[in-house]
Amino acid sequence: MLNHIDLMGRLTRDPELRYTQSNTPVATFTLAVDRDFADKTTGQRPTDFIECVAWRQTGEFVSKYFSKGSMAAVSGRLQIRDWTDREGNKRRSAEVVVDNVYFGESKRRDSAPQTGGYNANGGYNSNNNNAGGYNNNSYSGGGYNRSAAPSYGASSPTGGSAFSELDDGDGELPF
């Protein structure tokens, strides 16, 4: 049997990180996911609000790097829970137990600089503990280094490098 769900949407609020009695981290958040079709009468696309639960390192990662309005792509499984409310009524709720979370958009340029992330001059940098990603103790910045990369083609007027067109020559590829 198969129980797998993939969703992409925006967080409706900041993730809430809590800890169980055994000190296991768990983050809860809600994704607003647009449907694929528009309503014929209004022309608007209906939105579903889907509760998500992320455990352990995944929960810490969500809590640290996502906030209200962030686009997130999640994969996991659908879970139906039966519970009793304070008045003694039996309730049932559906939620996605998140296995993986991915950034659904690039980092906003207008936001303030954040600690951690990709550094174009030396790989990944981090000023924090490891919350589901790399840190300086486990990764020494051996990633792509723009300043050490060779420049190909002519320089563009904006200061970056531009690619130049290859001469057809004898028609064979140069690689």
Side-chain angles (χ1 to χ4, degrees), residues 2-94:
L2 181 65
N3 182 358
H4 184 83
I5 187 166
D6 294 312
L7 300 169
M8 186 169 185
R10 293 198 180 274
L11 274 71
T12 61
R13 58 184 164 83
D14 288 342
E16 184 179 332
L17 181 66
R18 290 179 283 173
Y19 293 87
T20 64
Q21 290 178 348
S22 61
N23 208 26
T24 303
V26 58
T28 57
F29 57 97
T30 304
L31 277 183
V33 180
D34 289 337
R35 294 190 184 171
D36 291 338
F37 58 89
D39 186 339
K40 291 180 182 179
T41 59
T42 64
Q44 299 289 327
R45 291 169 56 144
T47 302
D48 294 308
F49 297 91
I50 301 170
E51 297 295 322
C52 299
V53 178
W55 292 86
R56 298 175 185 77
Q57 291 89 351
T58 306
E60 289 176 334
F61 177 78
V62 168
S63 174
K64 188 170 191 172
Y65 293 106
F66 290 86
S67 60
K68 179 180 178 178
S70 298
M71 179 75 75
V74 301
S75 66
R77 63 183 170 84
L78 184 62
Q79 174 177 287
I80 308 297
R81 277 191 311 121
D82 293 320
W83 52 283
T84 306
D85 66 10
R86 293 183 179 155
E87 288 82 35
N89 300 321
K90 294 194 182 257
R91 301 284 186 152
R92 177 174 263 198
S93 59

Side-chain angles (χ1 to χ4, degrees), residues 165-174:
E165 196 168 317
L166 293 174
D167 183 21
D168 287 339
D170 60 2
E172 290 188 30
L173 293 175

